[in-house]
């Protein structure tokens, strides 16, 4: 009996492990029980190249989605949607359905919509770039599918939209995008085919401007690039130029949208490629293969957390509650405020909506101390807006900080409520010379917030109740998988999931994004560092390809600009390897080719070393000798040759990095900046440790030579405390908010828990840092984790998971922070911080130590499966501050495992 019980228990445990991802993922499925007003209520899905924003429109019950691709670049290098699709059923079962559901099934990579017995299922085929929508209904409906297009005529991009075409912003010539084309008489009677074709390209103008014309390595990926798709369905026929319709009322249907991007000599050749995609998408096993891909993806790795409860309380301070002004005496309200009231608890929606007409007594508290917002608050006032400029209505925080709350009319024609890190906005709801009753509520227990205008709720936020870390981690990794296998890297500024920026107070199309099309190295890297521990190494390929394709041109540019050898990459780089035209400078009068206008990164050189470091990591994790020999070594040699031939040496033969800068923060008087110096030290050390049976003797000799030429790591003493420094020398003038001295910790890991020689100096630098960056591209959480600062790393991780924009329905709509939303470098940092708190692994050549739970709080239970160098997988589970399950594959790597201080194995495991 005892033996039977043991076998049964082990079998049950094994079964639980096998099904754990599916069980936990189902808990985190995103489920909406009401339709959405517009695309701000859309849900993402994709296959790695093709991405959709999907929603059901409340006023019609129609299913809508925008279609994006990573490679749909216009003739001016702007990232465009392919368009959209509207699916209408008549009669419509979803319109007013009381049992309506819109569900993302994470485990299967599928979206289901149901109501009144009808169901739609949508997925993006992982083996072809096609979209399938299947429908079933007990009541026959006439089904109409329409292609949505907003590029109906050639258009010159106006000045106020050029930030979305960063490669050519401020160009001295018109930025014209051609119209999309819908085939009519040339196409069949059963499908709609449409496309955008670049018959010209801006690339030659950029070459000419940057003295690159005719150089080896130049390439133009825009000219004759054609992207679009076809819409078809069995039993459907054309009912208009842009729509197909069922032949009558039907109970079931199956629609397919095939998409294709290709650089071809003719439209006919592109259509031939589209036909192949469409045929592949129609294979009968498409849905099963798509689900199998997603199942395998979720089995690779996971992080499931419990016990993390976000702090939703109103930050405490001792300020006076201010009326119409901020803490600096600025942001004066542009009008009059009357009936100004504050209640020290949140009203219900019904109560708040009756405030404007009722005589509810609201006691006003204005004492500088003893303001107790433990329950939350209700704010209420009547306002008259004289001018459309921002100004405070209520203010209880330090201007620019998150230590309280404010309620104002930001940016002039909208309303905004900020409580700590939460920002809720109701854009474009106020008019100049208007009289309004405004109110705002916040519940400190639930975290719910709302804004009211003239008795109507105009904005609301309700946080998720599940583990915020599990939810944030799962949804971000999902979104990366949706867009991570395309031709080009994930865009940091919205990914490929941009929609109309209406909710952010701007009028434009879904093609608009802040900071445009270029890939900014300091931003795009954040999505790729965490892919190593996730086991998603194949998704790093678009990132590596971008820079490998640009390397020949980069080497040519080095020769022309600097009379040197090797490659360096601009911080802000186009997909064809050049500087952004506006950053380089269009007016070249009095300039040499090497002169770059943009001072924010004209002398920033850390991009190449970090690229090499990431390629070294990729080698460490997968141990792919072909990758090492054919890709890593050539890139490393080219990057290091730039430093060898571009810069002078000191008396000891060490490189003097001058001119240089500390990323975007310190520009003047900088010598031997920390980001580049740490990068050279870290990469040359690791390159010298590569296996000599793979790396040829000449390359290894060069790596060892460059190791001796690295500058010393910058160190400074501040108020008697020795710490990492931004540079060996620098003028203390700040131009941005990045802490460059911390590059010695992350990303280059010169000093960490595993390399403790300068650990105290690193911790001192962290504590002394000028900028506290919890969100966006800020990597404070990564640094804190690597230094073993558990409480600090935990605090930042919680802040990252709470960064969802309440104006958008998708819970992982981070930001916009410094960039645009959904903020993908914020999401990538969320993943990376989580991984570094759970697992820190050294290269095999350096001993291969795997540190378990180095910065994870014992009060958070976790079940995780993560990857480590040497094709190693670690599966660990904790409960109640103890490790209750631990498995390392291959078993030979168990000897390299180090359990961090404060953690212990469950007694059962010790046996």
């Amino acid at each position: 009996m005892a033996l039977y019980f043991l076998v049964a228990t082990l079998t049950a445990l094994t079964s639980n492990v096998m099904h754990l991802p599916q069980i936990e993922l189902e808990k985190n499925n995103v489920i909406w029980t009401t339709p959405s007003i517009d695309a701000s209520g859309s849900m993402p899905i994709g296959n790695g190249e093709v991405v959709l924003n999907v929603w059901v429109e409340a006023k019609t019950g129609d299913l809508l989605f925008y279609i994006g691709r990573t490679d749909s670049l216009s003739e001016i290098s702007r990232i465009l949607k392919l368009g959209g699709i509207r699916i209408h059923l008549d009669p419509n079962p979803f319109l007013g359905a009381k049992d309506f559901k819109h569900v993302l099934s994470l485990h299967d990579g599928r979206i289901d919509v149901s109501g009144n017995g009808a169901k739609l299922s949508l997925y993006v085929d992982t083996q072809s770039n096609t979209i399938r929508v299947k429908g079933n209904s007990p009541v026959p409906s006439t089904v109409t599918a329409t292609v949505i297009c907003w590029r109906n005529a050639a258009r010159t991009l106006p000045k106020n939209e050029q930030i979305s075409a960063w490669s050519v912003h401020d160009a001295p010539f018109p930025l014209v995008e051609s119209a999309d084309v819908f085939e009519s008489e040339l196409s069949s009677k059963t499908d709609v085919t449409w496309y955008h074709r670049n018959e010209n390209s801006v690339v030659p103008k950029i070459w000419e401007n940057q003295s690159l014309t005719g150089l080896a390595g130049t390439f133009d990926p825009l000219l004759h690039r054609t992207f679009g798709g076809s819409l078809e369905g069995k039993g459907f026929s054309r009912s208009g130029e842009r729509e197909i319709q069922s032949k009558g009322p039907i109970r079931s249907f199956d629609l397919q949208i095939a998409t294709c991007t290709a650089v071809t000599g003719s439209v006919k050749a592109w259509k031939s490629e589209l036909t192949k995609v469409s045929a592949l998408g129609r294979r009968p096993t498409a849905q099963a293969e798509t689900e199998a891909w997603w199942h395998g993806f979720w089995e690779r790795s996971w992080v499931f957390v419990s016990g993390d409860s976000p702090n939703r309380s109103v930050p405490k301070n001792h300020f006076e509650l201010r009326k119409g002004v901020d803490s600096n005496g600025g942001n004066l309200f542009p009008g009059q405020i009357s009936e100004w009231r504050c209640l020290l608890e949140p009203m219900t929606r019904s109560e708040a909506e009756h405030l404007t007409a009722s005589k509810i007594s609201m006691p006003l508290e204005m004492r500088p101390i003893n303001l107790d917002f433990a329950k939350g608050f209700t704010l209420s006032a009547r306002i008259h807006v004289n001018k459309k400029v921002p100004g405070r209505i209520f203010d209880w925080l330090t201007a620019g900080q998150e230590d309280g709350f404010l309620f104002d009319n930001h940016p002039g024609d909208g309303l905004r409520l900020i409580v700590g890190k939460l920002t809720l906005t109701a854009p474009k709801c106020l008019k100049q010379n208007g009289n309004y009753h405004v109110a705002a509520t916040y519940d400190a227990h639930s975290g719910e917030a709302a804004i009211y205008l003239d008795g109507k709720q105009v904005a609301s936020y309700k946080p998720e109740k599940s583990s915020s870390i599990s939810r944030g981690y799962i949804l971000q990794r999902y979104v990366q998988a949706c867009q991570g296998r395309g031709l080009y890297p994930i865009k940091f500024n919205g990914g490929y999931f941009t929609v109309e920026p209406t909710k952010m107070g701007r009028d434009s199309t879904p093609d608009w994004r802040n900071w445009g099309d270029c890939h900014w190295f300091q931003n795009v890297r954040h999505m790729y560092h965490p892919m190593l521990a996730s086991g998603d190494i194949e998704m790093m390929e678009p990132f590596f390809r971008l820079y490998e394709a640009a390397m020949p041109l980069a080497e040519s540019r080095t020769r022309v600009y600097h009379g040197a050898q090797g490659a360096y990459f601009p911080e802000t780089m186009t997909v064809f390897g050049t500087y952004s035209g506006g950053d380089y400078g269009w007016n070249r009068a009095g300039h040499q080719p090497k002169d770059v206008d943009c001072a924010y990164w004209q002398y920033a050189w850390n991009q190449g070393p970090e690229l090499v470091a990431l390629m070294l990591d990729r080698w460490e994790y997968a141990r792919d000798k072909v990758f090492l020999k054919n890709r890593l070594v050539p890139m490393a040699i080219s990057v290091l040759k730039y430093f060898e031939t571009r810069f002078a040496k000191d008396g000891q033969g060490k490189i003097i990095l001058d001119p240089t800068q500390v990323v975007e923060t310190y520009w003047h008087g900088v010598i031997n900046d920390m980001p580049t110096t740490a990068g050279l030290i870290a990469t040359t050390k690791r390159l010298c440790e590569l296996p000599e049976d793979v790396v040829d003797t000449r390359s290894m000799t060069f790596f060892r030579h460059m190791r001796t030429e690295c500058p010393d790591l910058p160190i400074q003493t501040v108020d008697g405390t020795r710490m990492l420094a931004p540079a060996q020398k620098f003028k203390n003038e700040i131009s941005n908010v990045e802490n460059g001295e911390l590059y010695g910790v992350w990303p280059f890991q010169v000093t960490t828990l595993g390399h403790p020689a300068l650990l105290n100096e690193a911790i001192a630098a962290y504590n002394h840092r000028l900028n506290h960056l919890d969100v966006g591209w800020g990597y404070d959480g990564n640094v804190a984790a690597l230094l073993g600062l558990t409480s600090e790393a935990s605090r930042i991780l919680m802040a990252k998971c709470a960064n969802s924009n309440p104006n958008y329905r998708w819970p992982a709509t981070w930001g916009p922070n410094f960039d645009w939303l959904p903020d993908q470098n914020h999401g990538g940092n969320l993943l990376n911080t989580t991984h570094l708190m759970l697992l820190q692994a050294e290269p095999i050549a350096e001993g291969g130590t795997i540190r378990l739970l180095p910065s994870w709080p014992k009060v958070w239970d976790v079940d995780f499966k993560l990857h480590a160098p040497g094709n190693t997988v670690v599966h660990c589970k904790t409960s109640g501050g103890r490790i209750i399950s631990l498995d390392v594959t291959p078993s030979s790597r168990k000897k390299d495992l180090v359990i961090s201080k404060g953690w212990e194995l469950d007694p059962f495991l010790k046996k």
Side-chain angles (χ1 to χ4, degrees):
M1 179 63 73
L3 179 61
Y4 171 81
F5 176 79
L6 179 60
V7 171
T9 301
L10 290 175
T11 301
L13 287 172
T14 302
S15 176
N16 184 58
V17 170
M18 290 175 62
H19 295 91
L20 177 67
Q22 183 174 0
I23 293 168
E24 292 297 324
L25 288 167
E26 287 181 357
K27 293 179 185 178
N28 287 278
N29 283 344
V30 179
I31 303 173
W32 296 336
T33 56
T34 58
S36 298
I37 297 173
D38 53 29
S40 66
S42 62
M43 183 179 284
I45 194 170
N47 71 345
E49 175 65 86
V50 178
V51 301
L52 312 181
N53 291 80
V54 183
W55 74 101
V56 174
E57 190 175 59
K59 68 179 179 181
T60 62
D62 292 353
L63 179 76
L64 291 96
F65 51 88
Y66 291 142
I67 308 172
R69 286 181 60 116
T70 77
D71 55 5
S72 51
L73 293 159
S74 76
E75 46 270 80
I76 62 172
S77 196
R78 206 160 66 111
I79 302 169
L80 304 184
K81 302 285 188 188
L82 272 62
I85 300 291
R86 177 186 289 270
I87 299 174
H88 175 72
L89 281 67
D90 184 18
N92 197 311
F94 308 119
L95 192 60
K98 294 182 179 179
D99 59 346
F100 176 87
K101 278 191 176 182
H102 182 172
V103 181
L104 170 63
S105 174
L106 289 161
H107 189 243
D108 294 336
R110 187 184 70 251
I111 289 176
D112 295 322
V113 176
S114 61
N116 285 328
K119 182 177 180 180
L120 301 179
S121 291
L122 178 153
Y123 67 92
V124 187
D125 184 2
T126 54
Q127 307 304 316
S128 73
N129 291 320
T130 58
I131 305 150
R132 294 287 285 274
V133 184
K134 299 180 180 181
N136 290 281
S137 175
V139 177
S141 296
T142 300
V143 181
T144 305
T146 307
V147 177
I148 303 168
C149 176
W150 49 90
R151 297 184 297 270
N152 296 306
R155 178 172 176 263
T156 300
L157 205 65
K159 178 75 171 177
N160 64 356
E161 288 189 36
Q162 289 187 15
I163 196 172
S164 68
W166 194 258
S167 291
V168 286
H169 72 90
D170 299 320
F173 47 82
L175 302 179
V176 182
E177 285 178 337
S178 59
D180 290 0
V181 176
F182 283 79
E183 296 212 328
S184 52
E185 69 278 359
L186 298 179
S187 62
S188 73
K189 296 181 180 180
T190 58
D191 72 273
V192 174
T193 299
W194 80 102
Y195 60 86
H196 184 104
R197 180 169 172 83
N198 301 337
E199 293 293 1
N200 53 69
S201 166
V202 75
V203 174
K205 293 182 179 180
I206 294 180
W207 290 340
E208 181 182 5
N209 174 250
Q210 298 181 18
S211 300
L212 303 174
T213 303
L215 294 187
T218 53
F219 62 101
D220 184 352
L222 302 185
L223 185 61
H224 296 151
R225 179 172 293 267
T226 309
F227 48 90
S230 63
L231 166 66
E232 63 179 342
K234 187 176 181 180
F236 283 70
S237 60
R238 287 278 293 275
S239 52
E241 182 189 57
R242 304 184 182 190
E243 70 178 29
I244 59 174
Q245 190 175 79
S246 61
K247 295 179 180 179
I250 53 177
R251 295 180 186 273
S252 63
F253 64 90
D254 185 350
L255 294 172
Q256 175 173 288
I257 302 94
T259 76
C260 178
T261 299
V263 177
T264 60
S266 65
V267 172
K268 182 179 180 181
W270 172 81
K271 285 189 67 178
S272 177
E273 294 299 315
L274 177 66
T275 300
K276 295 175 185 177
V277 174
S278 183
L280 181 60
R282 285 193 293 269
R283 68 195 190 286
T285 57
Q287 183 167 354
E289 289 176 11
T290 296
E291 291 180 0
W293 187 92
W294 280 102
H295 296 171
F297 170 77
W298 294 117
E299 283 286 346
R300 289 183 199 169
S301 65
W302 61 74
V303 175
F304 302 128
V305 183
S306 61
D308 58 309
S309 299
N311 180 10
R312 297 181 173 124
S313 62
V314 179
K316 294 182 178 180
N317 61 55
H318 298 291
F319 301 144
E320 180 177 328
L321 185 60
R322 290 175 288 270
K323 174 183 177 182
V325 65
D326 69 18
S327 62
N328 293 329
N331 277 298
L332 297 174
F333 184 76
Q336 294 78 47
I337 304 173
S338 61
E339 298 183 25
W340 188 66
R341 297 290 183 265
C342 173
L343 183 67
L344 302 183
E345 61 181 68
M347 284 186 169
T348 65
R349 177 171 181 171
S350 177
E351 291 171 337
E353 288 183 335
H354 284 84
L355 265 176
T356 183
S358 73
K359 300 295 183 181
I360 295 176
S361 175
M362 297 183 66
L364 177 63
E365 299 285 353
M366 292 186 62
R367 292 167 296 184
I369 59 174
N370 299 326
L371 276 175
D372 184 2
F373 293 107
K375 295 181 180 179
F377 55 74
T378 301
L379 310 175
S380 173
R382 291 190 182 276
I383 61 172
H384 177 83
V385 182
N386 292 340
K387 295 185 295 184
K388 291 170 66 175
V389 296
R392 299 287 200 263
I393 305 171
F394 291 82
D395 187 279
W396 198 65
L397 48 61
T398 304
Q401 302 298 316
E402 300 172 339
D403 54 357
F405 64 81
L406 68 81
F407 185 37
D408 64 1
N409 69 320
H410 183 86
D413 59 354
L415 291 169
R416 177 177 67 166
L417 174 67
I418 294 179
V419 186
K421 297 182 180 300
L422 171 69
T423 299
L424 178 63
T425 62
K428 294 185 178 299
C429 60
L430 305 178
K431 295 182 179 180
Q432 189 169 323
N433 295 319
N435 293 294
Y436 303 97
H437 182 275
V438 297
T441 61
Y442 182 75
D443 189 322
H445 174 69
S446 67
E448 296 181 21
I451 295 175
Y452 299 86
L453 179 66
D454 290 335
K456 294 183 178 180
Q457 188 182 91
V458 291
S460 64
Y461 171 67
K462 187 175 183 179
E464 298 290 337
K465 293 183 179 180
S466 61
S467 161
S468 62
I469 296 176
S470 290
R471 170 59 64 98
Y473 183 94
I474 290 168
L475 295 187
Q476 179 59 33
R477 187 161 174 253
Y478 164 78
V479 166
Q480 291 201 169
C482 287
Q483 58 188 324
R485 298 192 300 149
L487 177 62
Y488 292 120
I490 298 169
K491 283 296 292 164
F492 68 94
N493 48 342
Y496 297 93
F497 293 105
T498 56
V499 298
E500 300 93 332
T502 311
K503 290 293 185 179
M504 301 307 294
R506 186 183 186 98
D507 292 324
S508 194
T509 72
D511 295 329
W512 192 90
R513 68 178 65 233
N514 209 10
W515 305 117
D517 59 301
C518 284
H519 292 277
W520 308 54
F521 193 95
Q522 290 179 77
N523 300 77
V524 69
R525 60 182 176 158
H526 291 297
M527 291 81 79
Y528 291 92
H529 277 276
M531 289 181 180
L532 295 154
S534 295
D536 302 328
I537 288 179
E538 85 283 1
M539 293 186 193
M540 301 180 79
E541 282 302 297
F543 179 76
F544 292 146
R545 280 200 307 261
L546 178 74
Y547 290 95
E548 288 174 303
M551 187 171 73
L553 176 59
E555 292 173 338
S556 294
R557 179 172 49 225
T558 298
R559 287 191 292 271
V560 171
Y561 286 13
H562 304 295
Q565 301 176 44
Y568 73 93
F569 302 103
E571 167 60 29
T572 305
M573 194 177 81
T574 66
V575 297
F576 36 94
T578 71
Y579 287 93
S580 155
D583 293 350
Y584 181 74
W586 295 107
N587 184 357
R588 304 306 297 170
H591 290 300
Q592 297 295 318
K594 67 178 181 179
D595 298 331
V596 177
D597 274 3
C598 182
Y600 276 92
W601 43 259
Q602 62 178 327
Y603 299 132
W605 313 121
N606 53 283
Q607 299 86 359
E610 186 172 350
L611 173 63
V612 173
L614 260 173
M615 296 181 84
L616 281 162
D617 288 340
R618 199 268 197 199
W619 149 252
E620 284 289 345
Y621 276 72
R623 309 299 282 185
D624 180 347
K625 291 184 178 181
V626 174
F627 175 85
L628 170 60
K629 183 177 180 180
N630 296 341
R631 299 174 66 185
L632 167 54
V633 169
M635 179 61 75
I637 290 173
S638 187
V639 166
L640 291 176
K641 275 186 177 179
Y642 173 72
F643 294 98
E644 165 72 0
T645 61
R646 170 78 167 83
F647 297 97
K649 312 292 192 303
D650 64 15
Q652 286 74 46
K654 293 181 179 291
I655 292 169
I656 303 172
L657 294 167
D658 179 24
T660 191
Q661 62 190 82
V662 184
V663 280
E664 297 187 12
T665 303
Y666 298 98
W667 299 351
H668 308 293
V670 179
I671 295 177
N672 292 344
D673 63 291
M674 172 64 85
T676 310
T677 299
L680 290 173
I681 291 172
T683 54
T684 55
K685 179 178 184 295
R686 295 177 64 186
L687 288 166
C688 290
E689 295 168 344
L690 292 174
E692 295 187 37
D693 63 330
V694 181
V695 181
D696 62 278
T697 303
R698 185 176 180 181
S699 298
M700 184 59 73
T701 300
F702 175 65
F703 295 153
R704 288 169 179 165
H705 166 70
M706 290 303 297
R707 179 86 177 115
T708 67
E709 291 197 346
C710 293
D712 295 329
L713 200 72
I715 301 290
Q716 65 181 345
T717 300
V718 179
D719 296 330
T721 302
R722 181 177 152 90
M723 62 184 68
L724 303 184
Q728 187 181 90
K729 293 182 181 179
F730 61 100
K731 190 174 182 179
N732 195 15
E733 292 182 3
I734 303 297
S735 301
N736 209 331
V737 295
E738 192 167 3
N739 303 304
E741 63 272 22
L742 298 180
Y743 268 64
V745 183
W746 191 91
F748 293 118
Q749 302 191 33
V750 176
T751 176
T752 63
L753 291 172
H755 301 90
L758 293 171
L759 189 61
N760 291 335
E761 287 82 352
I763 292 173
Y766 183 86
N767 292 334
H768 184 261
R769 71 197 189 282
L770 293 176
N771 308 292
H772 292 236
L773 303 169
D774 294 351
V775 298
W777 48 253
Y779 42 82
D780 286 14
N782 303 340
V783 175
L786 285 165
L787 297 178
L789 305 177
T790 301
S791 61
E792 179 71 353
S794 304
R795 179 191 66 78
I796 293 172
L797 181 56
M798 290 297 292
K800 290 184 185 301
C801 294
N803 188 239
S804 177
N805 191 302
N807 294 304
Y808 291 77
R809 200 170 188 181
W810 173 248
T813 306
W814 317 119
N817 302 316
F818 305 101
D819 302 308
W820 195 237
L821 73 180
D823 182 352
Q824 294 304 286
N825 48 192
H826 174 94
N829 256 330
L830 187 159
L831 301 181
N832 206 10
T833 298
T834 304
H835 293 164
L836 292 172
M837 291 172 68
L838 291 167
L839 204 69
Q840 295 175 23
E842 305 297 329
I844 300 294
E846 296 178 14
T849 298
I850 303 171
R851 283 180 170 74
L852 190 67
L853 305 166
S855 303
W856 192 259
K858 297 178 72 174
V859 294
W860 294 351
D861 294 342
V862 62
D863 189 317
F864 73 86
K865 177 183 178 183
L866 294 174
H867 295 244
N871 291 298
T872 302
V873 179
V874 178
H875 180 198
C876 175
K877 184 175 182 179
T878 74
S879 179
R882 285 183 172 179
I883 299 169
I884 62 170
S885 177
L886 181 59
D887 182 64
V888 180
T889 306
S891 58
S892 60
R893 291 279 273 143
K894 290 181 180 179
K895 62 179 174 51
D896 300 320
L897 199 68
V898 173
I899 297 175
S900 299
K901 185 178 180 180
W903 287 90
E904 61 180 44
L905 293 173
D906 186 275
F908 177 80
L909 291 179
K910 292 180 180 179
K911 297 177 182 179

